[in-house]
Amino acid sequence: MKHAIAIDIGGTNIKYALVDNGGNILYESLRSAKSNDNETSLIDLLKAIVTEIRVVASSFNFSIVGIGIGVPSVIDDGVVLFANNLPELDNQNLQQIIADYSDLPVFVDNDANLMGLGEVVYGGAKGISDAVFLTIGTGIGGTLILNGQLYGGYRNRGTELGHIIVNCDGNPCSCGARGCFEAHAAVIVLIEEYKKLLIDDIQTDVEIDGKYIVSRYEANEEAAIIAMNNHFYYIAMGVVSLINIFAPQKIIIGGGISESGDFYIDNIQKLVKELVMKETSCFTTIERASLGNKAGFLGSAALVFKHM
C-alpha cells in the first residue's frame, strides 16, 4: 500500500489526513488556519502538520510517497495566486517550500478541483472519466474531470464554473461582472432573497441560513418556496450550460445545502430536463456528492497517487 499526506486548506480550518491509495483514512485531524498573533505562521503550521502525520505513519511503519495540498486559490506551477482569504500564502511557491522542508514530492492544486477529483476517485462517481463537480455554498466553485484528468485550462487559470453567465442583466458579482452563476445561485444569495420576501415578518431571534430556509420550505412557507424555486432555477441554468458544453457522464453537486434531502437534486433534475439539449444530456446523470467534508483531503491524496 502507498500512503500520502493529504491537506485541505480552507479559509477557516485546515483538514488533514494520512490516506492510503485505496482511499482509506488512517488518521485525520483539524487545525485552525488562522495564525495566532504571529506566533505561528501558516507555512510553519503546514510544516507542523507534515511532521505530525509523518510521526503517525512512522509508528505504523507506513512509508509516505508524497504530499497533496488543496488551496482555495489559483495554483500556477505550485505557486499560490489570488489567495484573498489566505494572504500569507499569496504569491508563495507552496509546492517548493513544503518539498524543501519534507524531502517528499509535493503536489498543490485548487481545493474545488481536488474535491471533484476525490469524488471520481473515491466517491460515488468512482471510475467515471468525464464529470463536472459543483460545490454550492457562500460562493459556487467547481471543477472538470475530462478523460479521467483534472482540467484547469491554460496554466490552471480556468474552470471558474461559478462565473459562467446565467442572466446577462442580472446581479452584480464579486468578480466585477453581472449575472454570474454564483451571483444568482450561491447560498448567500438564497438567504438575501428569502429575507427580502419576508419583509417585516422576519424573526430577529432566528439565524437565517440555508438549513433554516430548507426547513421553512419543507413546512410549505410561501417565502421559502419562492426563494428555493428561484435557487433551483438558477442552479439548473448553470448545470444546463455545463451539460451542453461538456456532455459529462455525471454532474456531481456538493456543499452543505445539497445534503438537505432528495428533493434538492430532484428539483434540479426536473428543471434541467426541461431546458437541456437531449443530444448532449442523454448519458448524463445528476447526483449529490458523497464524500462530504472529506472530499478535499481525499482529492489531495488522489492527486499524489496519480503522480506515483
Side-chain angles (χ1 to χ4, degrees):
M1 271 291 186
K2 296 177 180 178
H3 300 86
I5 295 172
I7 302 173
D8 177 22
I9 304 174
T12 304
N13 293 310
I14 303 172
K15 295 183 283 289
Y16 56 98
L18 176 65
V19 181
D20 68 25
N21 58 331
N24 299 302
I25 300 165
L26 307 169
Y27 172 82
E28 64 178 300
S29 193
L30 177 79
R31 295 196 189 198
S32 171
K34 303 297 183 183
S35 298
N36 298 318
D37 301 322
N38 296 321
E39 291 179 10
T40 306
S41 71
L42 191 48
I43 293 292
D44 286 341
L45 181 56
L46 292 173
K47 291 177 179 179
I49 286 169
V50 169
T51 299
E52 177 185 334
I53 300 181
R54 293 188 85 160
V55 169
V56 172
S58 179
S59 70
F60 290 101
N61 292 318
F62 294 152
S63 61
I64 294 172
V65 298
I67 301 169
I69 305 175
V71 187
S73 68
V74 172
I75 307 295
D76 185 351
D77 197 23
V79 178
V80 178
L81 301 173
F82 317 117
N84 298 327
N85 293 325
L86 297 166
E88 285 184 68
L89 297 184
D90 202 29
N91 292 311
Q92 299 268 13
N93 190 330
L94 187 60
Q95 183 171 302
Q96 191 63 56
I97 290 168
I98 300 302
D100 288 345
Y101 172 75
S102 66
D103 294 322
L104 286 168
V106 177
F107 307 94
V108 185
D109 209 326
N110 171 266
D111 59 342
N113 285 355
L114 296 183
M115 289 169 71
L117 183 63
E119 291 288 343
V120 300
V121 175
Y122 297 124
K126 187 174 181 178
I128 292 298
S129 64
D130 294 84
V132 175
F133 172 78
L134 291 170
T135 178
I136 313 296
T138 304
I140 293 181
T143 192
L144 303 175
I145 310 291
L146 303 180
N147 296 320
Q149 303 295 322
L150 279 172
Y151 179 77
Y154 181 64
R155 294 185 67 169
N156 217 23
R157 302 300 179 97
T159 62
E160 290 290 345
L161 305 187
H163 298 283
I164 60 174
I165 304 299
V166 295
N167 183 346
C168 61
D169 297 316
N171 298 339
C173 183
S174 59
C175 73
R178 275 192 173 272
C180 290
F181 190 11
E182 177 173 293
H184 285 272
V187 174
I188 193 169
V189 179
L190 168 65
I191 293 168
E192 289 306 310
E193 290 190 352
Y194 175 70
K195 287 179 177 178
K196 288 177 184 176
L197 288 164
L198 285 179
I199 311 175
D200 296 327
D201 294 332
I202 192 166
Q203 297 181 41
T204 56
D205 59 338
V206 174
E207 180 184 355
I208 296 178
D209 55 13
K211 185 176 180 179
Y212 177 79
I213 298 170
V214 166
S215 72
R216 302 310 301 151
Y217 174 85
E218 291 177 324
N220 292 316
E221 181 189 270
E222 184 179 7
I225 290 171
I226 293 170
M228 287 296 294
N229 284 342
N230 285 339
H231 177 73
F232 292 140
Y233 173 77
Y234 280 113
I235 294 287
M237 288 285 284
V239 168
V240 164
S241 294
L242 293 167
I243 293 175
N244 285 344
I245 296 168
F246 297 108
Q249 293 162 283
K250 287 187 185 293
I251 297 280
I252 307 160
I253 299 179
I257 197 166
S258 71
E259 300 172 5
S260 301
D262 291 341
F263 78 90
Y264 189 85
I265 298 297
D266 290 347
N267 275 280
I268 294 167
Q269 285 177 324
K270 180 181 177 181
L271 286 166
V272 168
K273 189 174 181 179
E274 293 172 2
L275 298 166
V276 75
M277 291 177 63
K278 292 180 175 60
E279 297 84 355
T280 63
S281 61
C282 57
F283 298 114
T284 302
T285 58
I286 302 171
E287 65 181 43
R288 186 172 62 193
S290 64
L291 298 179
N293 62 12
K294 300 182 190 296
F297 65 65
L298 284 170
S300 296
L303 184 67
V304 173
F305 299 131
K306 274 187 170 289
H307 287 86
M308 293 292 107

